[in-house]
Amino acid sequence: MLKKILTSCALCLSAAFASAQQATDPVVMTIAGEPVTRSEFEYNFNKNNTDAVVDKKSVREYADLFAVYKMKVRAALDARMDTASAFQKEFRHYRDLQIRPMLVPDVVVEKQCQDYYNEMLAALGGKDLLRPAHILVLVPQNADAQLQEQKRLLADSIYNALLQGTAFEDLAHTLSDDVQTGKNGGALPWIGPGNTLQEFEEVAYGLKPGEMSKPFLSSVGYHIVKMLERKQLEPFDSLHPQIHRFMERRGVHERLASDALDSLSKKYEGKYTTDQILDIETERLCAENQELKYLVKEYHDGLLLYELCSTQIWEPAKVDTAGIVAYFEANRSAYAWDNPHFSGMVFYCKEKADVKKVKKLLKAKKDDALWIQAVREEFNKDSVQVRMDKRLFALGENNNVDALVFKAKGVKVKPLEGFPYIGYVGQKLKKGPAKWTDVSTKVVQDYQRFREDEYVAELRKKYPVVIYEEVLSTVNQH
């Protein structure tokens, strides 16, 4: 009897919890009975309707688009696309970019940043950071006495020019043998003790901002140094963002994540693989962080959506030539144009005699898709004798087409450099394309959309959508 009472109480508590959750996060729609909560819908709506979006949608408009998105994801799940090893590998890659850093406690990351700052502070030993500029006169290691003297005299002449008012940046740009810094007027990045040559460091630390050294010799040659800036190392808090980014670039965070995974593996006594541990941690972190939960779901569902559309719609439609032709013939009027077009090839020859030969070759080919290959095999095997431009040209798009084909007034032919002789093969189209290949890119895209609309219509029959308007009206309003 007591067992029955306890069971009854547990069921009541469970029902009460579900009711409370429904009250705080109601269902905004169902897809074949599967609920979509308001929080999930809001996450996606707000992310895809920022101020940067050109074609912003109302909540109601987005609800229809989101329902289609969820139907496609449901279809991909029913087709078990999520079980494919390639999908799982790609999903885990994107997911782990988010999850792995979260395995490292903030306090551990902060300690690494603080330790790095302390190392910088200790390395400076109370000295300033310097930002010098220099002009280098390189002296080769094997230079004889005569060459060394020539280099010394050159450094002196540059120094004298500087004393007479020539801009340091100009001479660094034109005369410094340190080409990389010379491009920036000789400016070096911020340096501290031990970051450069000892001779250079000793001179540089003796200069105040704006001061310039006399030429001095180091192990690589003669330098003239100008001090641009000096400063004490900034406090940790002000440098924290830069240090954090630097540590990321060095892979410190990735190493810490790997250490965390090693610790978790020991905790689980080696019972799980790394992927399994990341699965467990993803579930834990997503339970604690709703934003992360929906981001991970977005990765998962987005990859599924692409896989479904690619394999079920886009790729099949792209190779369905019979379907494309039928679609084009049924929708010819959609591809009509006001301005005349030219469908064909404009070609440029090095030799005048080749113009007639190219024309003859192309006219013998019934399928213009073979034109470029034919010209390459016949004329361009060993060297380029003919340049080609094959496509659909509208009046006003190509100077030579306008002059030769459309006989436009005041337009002159402009040969390519090294290819002075021009010819063309093709046909003028006044009202619209003669065949679908004249506008192949546009037709294929339109046909893919047509096939997608058909596919979605079938999904609507298979996965009924119910949108709860009263809940939809509370999106971002609660």
Side-chain angles (χ1 to χ4, degrees):
M1 183 67 178
L2 178 60
K3 186 175 180 181
K4 288 183 178 180
I5 293 172
L6 291 173
T7 301
S8 176
C9 288
L11 290 172
C12 289
L13 286 171
S14 177
F17 177 77
S19 177
Q21 187 178 31
Q22 168 67 10
T24 58
D25 194 10
V27 173
V28 76
M29 68 175 68
T30 58
I31 312 295
E34 286 289 325
V36 177
T37 61
R38 182 174 62 190
S39 61
E40 181 184 355
F41 180 84
E42 283 179 337
Y43 169 85
N44 285 275
F45 173 75
N46 293 331
K47 186 168 185 177
N48 291 289
N49 274 274
T50 63
D51 292 336
V53 175
V54 176
D55 185 22
K56 293 183 73 171
K57 304 293 182 184
S58 67
V59 170
R60 191 63 190 78
E61 290 170 332
Y62 189 78
D64 292 330
L65 294 174
F66 192 66
V68 172
Y69 169 77
K70 297 296 283 187
M71 284 190 292
K72 290 176 179 176
V73 172
R74 176 67 181 272
L77 289 170
D78 286 351
R80 298 180 60 78
M81 291 182 178
D82 60 323
T83 64
S85 59
F87 167 82
Q88 292 181 356
K89 181 179 179 180
E90 188 170 10
F91 165 63
R92 283 193 168 114
H93 168 73
Y94 285 109
R95 181 203 65 183
D96 295 350
L97 289 175
Q98 294 294 325
I99 299 300
R100 286 176 65 91
M102 297 181 74
L103 300 179
V104 183
D106 289 343
V107 65
V108 175
V109 175
E110 289 308 304
K111 185 178 184 306
Q112 290 283 328
C113 292
Q114 184 69 62
D115 288 349
Y116 179 74
Y117 177 82
N118 292 341
E119 289 172 9
M120 286 196 297
L121 204 59
L124 285 170
K127 289 187 174 181
D128 285 346
L129 283 168
L130 309 179
R131 194 166 79 88
H134 81 141
I135 297 172
L136 171 66
V137 176
L138 190 66
V139 179
Q141 292 293 316
N142 59 353
D144 57 22
Q146 183 179 358
L147 180 57
Q148 290 182 32
E149 179 63 13
Q150 289 176 358
K151 296 293 185 178
R152 185 189 68 77
L153 292 173
L154 174 58
D156 286 343
S157 67
I158 294 172
Y159 180 67
N160 288 330
L162 291 168
L163 293 178
Q164 292 170 16
T166 307
F168 191 96
E169 295 79 4
D170 292 342
L171 291 180
H173 182 70
T174 55
L175 296 177
S176 178
D177 287 327
D178 185 348
V179 179
Q180 287 303 113
T181 63
K183 293 176 183 176
N184 299 316
L188 290 159
W190 288 98
I191 61 172
N195 292 154
T196 185
L197 299 167
Q198 184 177 351
E199 303 94 334
F200 190 101
E201 184 179 314
E202 288 174 356
V203 172
Y205 268 101
L207 298 173
K208 297 177 182 178
E211 288 185 343
M212 181 178 69
S213 74
K214 294 180 178 180
F216 63 91
L217 184 63
S218 77
S219 58
V220 296
Y222 287 95
H223 305 263
I224 303 170
V225 176
K226 179 180 179 181
M227 185 55 57
L228 303 177
E229 296 179 79
R230 298 179 64 132
K231 67 178 181 180
Q232 285 284 303
L233 184 66
E234 294 91 334
F236 174 72
D237 288 345
S238 62
L239 290 178
H240 180 269
Q242 297 99 301
I243 294 174
H244 200 278
R245 288 193 295 270
F246 176 71
M247 302 294 272
E248 279 189 317
R249 288 197 300 271
R250 286 182 64 185
V252 172
H253 292 178
E254 182 61 26
R255 177 176 59 76
L256 292 173
S258 295
D259 291 345
L261 280 167
D262 288 342
S263 296
L264 286 168
S265 181
K266 292 174 183 176
K267 173 186 172 183
Y268 292 123
E269 299 178 343
K271 294 177 181 177
Y272 303 111
T273 65
T274 299
D275 282 341
Q276 288 172 328
I277 292 172
L278 283 164
D279 289 342
I280 294 168
E281 290 302 301
T282 298
E283 188 173 348
R284 176 182 68 81
L285 291 166
C286 287
E288 298 171 356
N289 185 331
Q290 183 173 268
E291 192 83 5
L292 176 65
K293 178 178 109 175
Y294 291 139
L295 178 61
V296 171
K297 187 172 179 59
E298 183 183 1
Y299 288 147
H300 181 273
D301 292 356
L303 289 171
L304 276 180
L305 177 71
Y306 179 82
E307 183 66 19
L308 178 93
C309 290
S310 181
T311 59
Q312 303 300 311
I313 303 168
W314 301 331
E315 290 304 318
K318 192 160 63 174
V319 297
D320 180 14
T321 305
I324 293 171
V325 171
Y327 178 83
F328 172 74
E329 294 298 339
N331 296 276
R332 268 183 176 271
S333 59
Y335 304 100
W337 47 57
D338 296 326
N339 294 325
H341 285 57
F342 170 70
S343 177
M345 180 189 286
V346 181
F347 55 89
Y348 306 84
C349 302
K350 283 189 173 182
E351 304 296 333
K352 185 175 182 180
D354 285 341
V355 174
K356 287 185 178 180
K357 293 177 183 177
V358 173
K359 281 189 177 182
K360 183 178 179 181
L361 175 68
L362 299 183
K363 287 180 178 179
K365 299 286 182 184
K366 293 183 179 180
D367 185 357
D368 60 8
L370 302 176
W371 282 1
I372 291 178
Q373 180 183 349
V375 173
R376 282 175 179 162
E377 292 176 352
E378 186 71 23
F379 295 93
N380 295 340
K381 272 188 176 181
D382 300 321
S383 62
V384 178
Q385 299 298 310
V386 179
R387 297 277 296 273
M388 301 163 280
D389 190 0
K390 181 188 179 300
R391 56 190 170 92
L392 186 72
F393 302 87
L395 177 62
E397 281 187 353
N398 182 284
N399 187 86
N400 293 325
V401 170
D402 291 348
L404 296 171
V405 179
F406 296 120
K407 312 297 182 185
K409 292 182 179 179
V411 180
K412 295 182 179 180
V413 172
K414 291 182 179 179
L416 296 180
E417 185 176 352
F419 297 83
Y421 304 104
I422 305 175
Y424 67 92
V425 173
Q427 63 180 131
K428 282 192 287 186
L429 304 169
K430 293 183 179 180
K431 296 182 178 180
K435 51 189 181 300
W436 78 269
T437 51
D438 291 332
V439 284
S440 58
T441 301
K442 181 72 167 65
V443 174
V444 170
Q445 289 174 346
D446 291 346
Y447 183 59
Q448 286 174 324
R449 280 191 288 269
F450 171 74
R451 287 282 295 270
E452 186 167 359
D453 289 343
E454 286 187 327
Y455 186 78
V456 170
E458 290 300 315
L459 291 184
R460 290 187 188 280
K461 297 175 186 176
K462 188 175 182 181
Y463 305 115
V465 175
V466 178
I467 297 177
Y468 299 103
E469 300 292 344
E470 67 278 9
V471 178
L472 192 65
S473 67
T474 66
V475 168
N476 292 335
Q477 301 295 325
H478 57 93

